[in-house]
Amino acid sequence: MNSATENKNHYRLGSNYTMSRISGKNCSVLLRDKSEEIQGVVDVCNDKISRVGGYNGEKLSDAGRLELIKFIRSNRLSMTPEAAKDLKLSVYQPASGENFYLSEKELDRVLSGNVSNASVWVNRYKKRVLHIRPETKGAALNLSRAAVKKLVIGSGCNLIIDLRDNPYIERLVIKEGFTGSINAARTSLKHIDIADNCRCELSLNDSLKCFSLHIGDVFSGILNVKNSCFHQLDAGYYCYADISLEKNWGRRDIKIGNSFRGNLHIDGVHVPGLEIGDDCKGKISVSSHDDVHGARKIKIRNEFNGELDLSNSRTVSRLELGAHTRGKLNFLGCPSLQVVKIGENFNGTADFSESGIEYLRAARGCRGRLILLNCANLTLLKLPVERKTSVTIEKDPLRVQTVKGNVYYQFKDKRLPAEYFTPFYKKWFEKVKSFFVEK
């Protein structure tokens, strides 16, 4: 500090305030008014202010704060973000690299313009809806303290956004073509909408409220959701992201659209079920730590040719696979698995060994490989007559019966629950629905 200096230990701020160093503390000064009453304490070393506070538990007066701000600006002093917060200022660093300390009105003018290649640390800002201009590139925005209800990120933006611990924000809207990263841990978000063709890293850990998350088509990048509640979570067509869902809970099924190409890891997520669309070539693993907190059913539609691993699940009891399923299916040692229904023209490898499976049905055209070693609960196996399937099993059936093009292998004298078997009208409804979707 070298402006308006009376001596190296005493500084004059205008006509009403002075600052003097504290004896024995080279990095602390006292702010006094014209009556020599102490108004505040400022920690400053090497012309950089790290903290501004009141004295003896009292708050710094607005007049003293404004006078101190004038002094800082006139002497071109720098501050830490925390010191700027003490003075109710935000930090704006444009591409030139120089820091500017802005009031709320000044910050509003900056954010309504082009902040490309800038860094903004918001400490004091209140607005119902904040719009980030489309095509904003290379900016880093710390909005953890921004009192904003809704954040709208324009199309084509490339941003790094920090929303951690923001208690105000309720809705996040990301327009098409966004790239970058968003950390929304410990926020109060209720709605998150991500448009098509976005490539980003999104973290939603330890949410403070239940939220709905809708992701559009062609999403890539990383999605992490941990220890959170969601009412809805779905992704659109051709998603090829790494999705990790851990220790979450929700009201509805998790839904992933057609042509999934990414990695989906679900661990200890307590939801009704999981639905995967057609033409999936991704890797899916579902696990749980107990027999209560986890998904109960999984439905994968036609043309699956990826990897499915339920070996560490203790909750999934029902699995339905669509037509033309291939790929690798690992159910080894899954104790909760009871019913598996495989659609027409199965040509994959499915290992059910040491699982809890009771009923397995494969439709016509099945020519893949089924491994059923040490399945103590296996009661009924239904295969098409034109059997081209390789079945590896160590025990003989009690009875074998052929009915309407299917062969029934009965392994136990036990009546299975009616809900294990698909009613005829449901199969007809699925065909009609599939027809109209294709059209």
Side-chain angles (χ1 to χ4, degrees):
M1 295 183 292
N2 52 24
S3 178
T5 305
E6 294 184 355
N7 58 61
K8 65 178 182 179
N9 294 316
H10 197 78
Y11 308 87
R12 180 165 294 281
L13 285 68
S15 59
N16 294 325
Y17 288 87
T18 60
M19 288 196 302
S20 58
R21 292 193 181 276
I22 300 175
S23 178
K25 295 184 178 180
N26 293 330
C27 289
S28 294
V29 296
L30 295 175
L31 176 67
R32 299 175 185 268
D33 62 15
K34 62 181 179 181
S35 302
E36 291 297 313
E37 292 289 334
I38 299 175
Q39 300 295 310
V41 181
V42 181
D43 292 339
V44 53
C45 273
N46 299 321
D47 289 345
K48 185 165 187 175
I49 297 173
S50 59
R51 188 184 74 89
V52 179
Y55 182 70
N56 278 349
E58 297 293 329
K59 290 184 178 181
L60 180 65
S61 66
D62 284 342
R65 179 177 61 84
L66 293 174
E67 197 67 47
L68 185 56
I69 291 172
K70 290 180 184 178
F71 178 76
I72 291 169
R73 287 176 171 175
S74 64
N75 284 272
R76 301 174 72 92
L77 300 179
S78 63
M79 289 186 285
T80 64
E82 290 301 322
K85 174 180 175 289
D86 294 336
L87 291 174
K88 302 180 181 180
L89 299 174
S90 295
V91 184
Y92 169 58
Q93 185 184 72
S96 64
E98 183 179 1
N99 284 344
F100 294 90
Y101 304 100
L102 308 180
S103 66
E104 190 170 357
K105 288 184 178 180
E106 293 168 334
L107 177 64
D108 190 48
R109 287 195 294 269
V110 167
L111 290 177
S112 63
N114 189 350
V115 294
S116 291
N117 301 310
S119 295
V120 182
W121 189 296
V122 175
N123 281 318
R124 188 178 179 87
Y125 187 70
K126 186 175 182 180
K127 195 168 188 178
R128 184 169 183 80
V129 182
L130 172 59
H131 291 268
I132 304 300
R133 180 182 290 189
E135 301 298 329
T136 300
K137 306 289 187 180
L141 308 178
N142 188 311
L143 303 176
S144 293
R145 296 191 180 102
V148 174
K149 290 290 185 182
K150 181 179 179 180
L151 174 62
V152 180
I153 301 173
S155 59
C157 285
N158 171 237
L159 305 170
I160 298 173
I161 299 178
D162 190 349
L163 293 172
R164 286 177 295 178
D165 301 298
N166 185 314
Y168 310 103
I169 189 163
E170 295 181 353
R171 191 176 193 104
L172 173 62
V173 178
I174 302 173
K175 298 296 183 67
E176 61 274 4
F178 172 78
T179 59
S181 66
I182 300 175
N183 192 334
R186 300 176 300 279
T187 64
S188 297
L189 279 166
K190 295 180 181 178
H191 305 280
I192 304 156
D193 297 292
I194 302 176
D196 299 341
N197 300 301
C198 290
R199 181 180 180 85
C200 66
E201 180 176 351
L202 176 62
S203 296
L204 293 161
N205 299 336
D206 304 305
S207 65
L208 301 180
K209 293 185 178 180
C210 293
F211 59 83
S212 62
L213 171 59
H214 174 71
I215 301 174
D217 297 338
V218 199
F219 173 77
S220 64
I222 298 173
L223 171 64
N224 287 313
V225 184
K226 183 178 181 180
N227 193 32
S228 298
C229 167
F230 46 79
H231 292 322
Q232 184 175 2
L233 196 160
D234 59 76
Y237 165 80
Y238 205 72
C239 172
Y240 52 105
D242 289 332
I243 301 175
S244 177
L245 310 175
E246 185 177 352
K247 296 181 182 177
N248 304 303
W249 57 98
R251 290 181 181 177
R252 301 181 182 177
D253 291 352
I254 298 168
K255 295 183 179 180
I256 306 296
N258 295 342
S259 302
F260 178 67
R261 295 294 188 271
N263 297 304
L264 175 60
H265 174 65
I266 299 177
D267 182 35
V269 178
H270 191 56
V271 290
L274 168 67
E275 292 187 21
I276 306 292
D278 295 334
D279 185 37
C280 171
K281 292 182 173 66
K283 295 181 179 180
I284 301 167
S285 65
V286 180
S287 56
S288 51
H289 303 282
D290 55 43
D291 56 3
V292 175
H293 300 94
R296 296 292 172 181
K297 64 181 186 298
I298 297 176
K299 184 171 185 177
I300 300 178
R301 297 191 180 274
N302 301 334
E303 305 284 349
F304 177 80
N305 190 17
E307 295 183 19
L308 175 63
D309 188 353
L310 303 183
S311 60
N312 291 314
S313 173
R314 298 174 61 185
T315 59
V316 174
S317 61
R318 189 179 184 109
L319 171 67
E320 295 186 30
L321 297 166
H324 306 286
T325 292
R326 292 175 287 170
K328 184 178 180 180
L329 312 172
N330 182 15
F331 314 118
L332 178 64
C334 178
S336 58
L337 192 62
Q338 295 175 320
V339 182
V340 176
K341 298 181 179 181
I342 302 175
E344 298 176 355
N345 301 307
F346 172 73
N347 193 20
T349 299
D351 190 350
F352 299 93
S353 298
E354 301 178 12
S355 71
I357 190 165
E358 297 181 33
Y359 173 50
L360 171 61
R361 184 204 73 183
R364 65 183 181 181
C366 176
R367 58 189 184 278
R369 186 183 180 196
L370 305 175
I371 304 172
L372 293 151
L373 296 173
N374 300 316
C375 295
N377 298 330
L378 182 61
T379 300
L380 183 62
L381 175 62
K382 177 183 176 183
L383 297 176
V385 168
E386 70 282 6
R387 177 176 162 183
K388 300 177 183 179
T389 313
S390 170
V391 180
T392 303
I393 190 168
E394 86 288 355
K395 57 184 177 181
D396 296 324
L398 298 177
R399 289 181 296 278
V400 179
Q401 186 178 11
T402 301
V403 179
K404 294 182 179 180
N406 294 297
V407 182
Y408 293 81
Y409 300 87
Q410 190 83 30
F411 291 93
K412 300 179 79 171
D413 282 324
K414 175 183 175 181
R415 187 177 181 85
L416 295 175
E419 59 266 24
Y420 282 14
F421 306 96
T422 303
F424 75 92
Y425 60 82
K426 184 176 181 181
K427 187 175 181 180
W428 175 84
F429 175 77
E430 288 292 335
K431 287 185 176 180
V432 172
K433 181 180 178 182
S434 178
F435 172 80
F436 282 108
V437 168
E438 290 175 4
K439 293 298 182 183

